[in-house]
Amino acid sequence: MSSNNNNEIEKENNQAGGKSGVLNILLRLLHGAIIGLGAVLPGISGGVLCVVFGVYKPIMELLSHPFKAIKKHAKTLIPIVIGIGIGFVAISKLLGFLLNKYPDPSVCLFVGLIAGMLPSLFKEAGEKGRTKGSYISLAVCFAVVLGVLLGLNAVSVTIVPNFWWYLFCGFCIALSVIAPGMSFSTLLMPLGLYEPLVSGIGSVADVVNGFDKVSFDVIIPAALGALITVILLAKAVDALMNRHYSIVFHGIIGIVIAATVVIIPFKSFTESVGSALINTACIAAGVIVALLLDKFNSKVNVPD
């Protein structure tokens, strides 16, 4: 009798473990999709979301020592990576449409997202303390990036997307995952590279309609730039963040603020009352969404 009871208990435990395993995989897929979304969405860093969901160290191990990491963290990394790909492509398709159809409101929404994430980024930047060097780093990075971007606008430099610029885009994408807090879109938007990049990445979603619709001229150099960045910088950035966390993170915040100021479509606010109201509403919506996401992130605690 007791033997039968033990068998039944063991069977129930196995079933529970199986359900738990499936739910864990689904949760990891969801986390990966959100990280992929964060890697593309302006103002939200894929690296920060990796930290939030407790997978930053496994991801960095994957980038630095792929074979060793897969062997060690296979159950965690496989669904995460698949989810990242899904979220990355899906959100790129949507963003490409919005930026093409509603450019100013979309940019204002992104500005709101960035503004709403700044308090949490500043808080995270000070987790290991702040020094004079931290504030100097923030100020210098802000001034340099703002000066460069305003200078490009002042001399009417038009950047024509090509292989080398998309290679640069790949560098920014990889850096946004390697360096928590770095949102690559804040650099690409004022350079006019963001919309063609996300449209090109989003074209992967049209693969069912034929490979001729896929923008390989965007995807291949961007992927190559990301791969080169990972190979050359993953270990260096990880070491830099470990040794000079506060200075590096505050510098990143300076870059984010400067690039955000430049992309605000000030002219659209003066065109009409209607456009001003719509843009203001989009900024407010972005701030609210970012604050809600931050509140949600603070409650998430997923073990590796």
Side-chain angles (χ1 to χ4, degrees), residues 63-147:
L63 298 177
S64 304
H65 308 283
F67 297 108
K68 182 179 178 181
I70 286 292
K71 185 177 180 180
K72 183 179 178 182
H73 303 289
K75 291 182 180 179
T76 296
L77 288 174
I78 291 175
I80 285 287
V81 171
I82 293 173
I84 288 174
I86 294 171
F88 196 76
V89 172
I91 197 65
S92 292
K93 181 70 175 176
L94 175 61
L95 289 177
F97 169 78
L98 290 176
L99 285 167
N100 184 53
K101 194 78 173 177
Y102 311 103
D104 289 339
S106 298
V107 170
C108 287
L109 180 64
F110 301 155
V111 169
L113 286 169
I114 297 168
M117 288 296 291
L118 283 176
S120 64
L121 290 181
F122 192 74
K123 180 181 178 182
E124 188 166 350
E127 279 190 354
K128 297 183 180 180
R130 305 183 204 275
T131 63
K132 288 183 179 179
S134 303
Y135 294 106
I136 291 173
S137 174
L138 191 156
V140 169
C141 289
F142 172 81
V144 170
V145 173
L146 184 65

Side-chain angles (χ1 to χ4, degrees), residues 17-284:
K19 290 179 180 178
S20 178
V22 171
L23 289 175
N24 188 53
I25 291 173
L26 292 175
L27 191 61
R28 288 298 187 190
L29 281 170
L30 177 61
H31 289 170
I34 295 173
I35 292 169
L37 182 151
V40 184
L41 201 61
I44 301 177
S45 165
V48 167
L49 291 174
C50 286
V51 173
V52 166
F53 293 128
V55 294
Y56 180 70
K57 287 185 178 179
I59 289 290
M60 288 304 297
E61 286 183 33
L62 176 66
L63 298 177
S64 304
H65 308 283
F67 297 108
K68 182 179 178 181
I70 286 292
K71 185 177 180 180
K72 183 179 178 182
H73 303 289
K75 291 182 180 179
T76 296
L77 288 174
I78 291 175
I80 285 287
V81 171
I82 293 173
I84 288 174
I86 294 171
F88 196 76
V89 172
I91 197 65
S92 292
K93 181 70 175 176
L94 175 61
L95 289 177
F97 169 78
L98 290 176
L99 285 167
N100 184 53
K101 194 78 173 177
Y102 311 103
D104 289 339
S106 298
V107 170
C108 287
L109 180 64
F110 301 155
V111 169
L113 286 169
I114 297 168
M117 288 296 291
L118 283 176
S120 64
L121 290 181
F122 192 74
K123 180 181 178 182
E124 188 166 350
E127 279 190 354
K128 297 183 180 180
R130 305 183 204 275
T131 63
K132 288 183 179 179
S134 303
Y135 294 106
I136 291 173
S137 174
L138 191 156
V140 169
C141 289
F142 172 81
V144 170
V145 173
L146 184 65
V148 170
L149 294 177
L150 290 179
L152 289 174
N153 289 338
V155 297
S156 299
V157 174
T158 301
I159 291 177
V160 179
N162 56 28
F163 178 89
W164 299 106
W165 280 114
Y166 286 130
L167 201 69
F168 172 73
C169 291
F171 161 79
C172 293
I173 292 172
L175 199 60
S176 70
V177 175
I178 294 172
M182 182 64 186
S183 178
F184 80 93
S185 55
T186 57
L187 285 177
L188 301 184
M189 289 186 76
L191 295 176
L193 295 170
Y194 184 71
E195 193 277 332
L197 175 68
V198 295
S199 295
I201 295 173
S203 68
V204 174
D206 293 327
V207 71
V208 292
N209 297 322
F211 282 100
D212 58 309
K213 293 183 179 294
V214 180
S215 298
F216 288 111
D217 57 333
V218 176
I219 295 169
I220 291 176
L224 185 60
L227 180 62
I228 292 172
T229 303
V230 166
I231 293 173
L232 296 180
L233 296 182
K235 293 181 181 179
V237 171
D238 189 35
L240 197 61
M241 291 292 288
N242 287 332
R243 295 177 185 176
H244 306 287
Y245 178 88
S246 181
I247 291 175
V248 173
F249 216 130
H250 281 80
I252 289 171
I253 291 176
I255 295 171
V256 169
I257 295 173
T260 303
V261 170
V262 174
I263 67 172
I264 298 174
F266 292 106
K267 289 183 179 179
S268 65
F269 283 86
T270 60
E271 290 177 353
S272 67
V273 176
S275 62
L277 290 174
I278 291 173
N279 290 342
T280 302
C282 287
I283 291 176

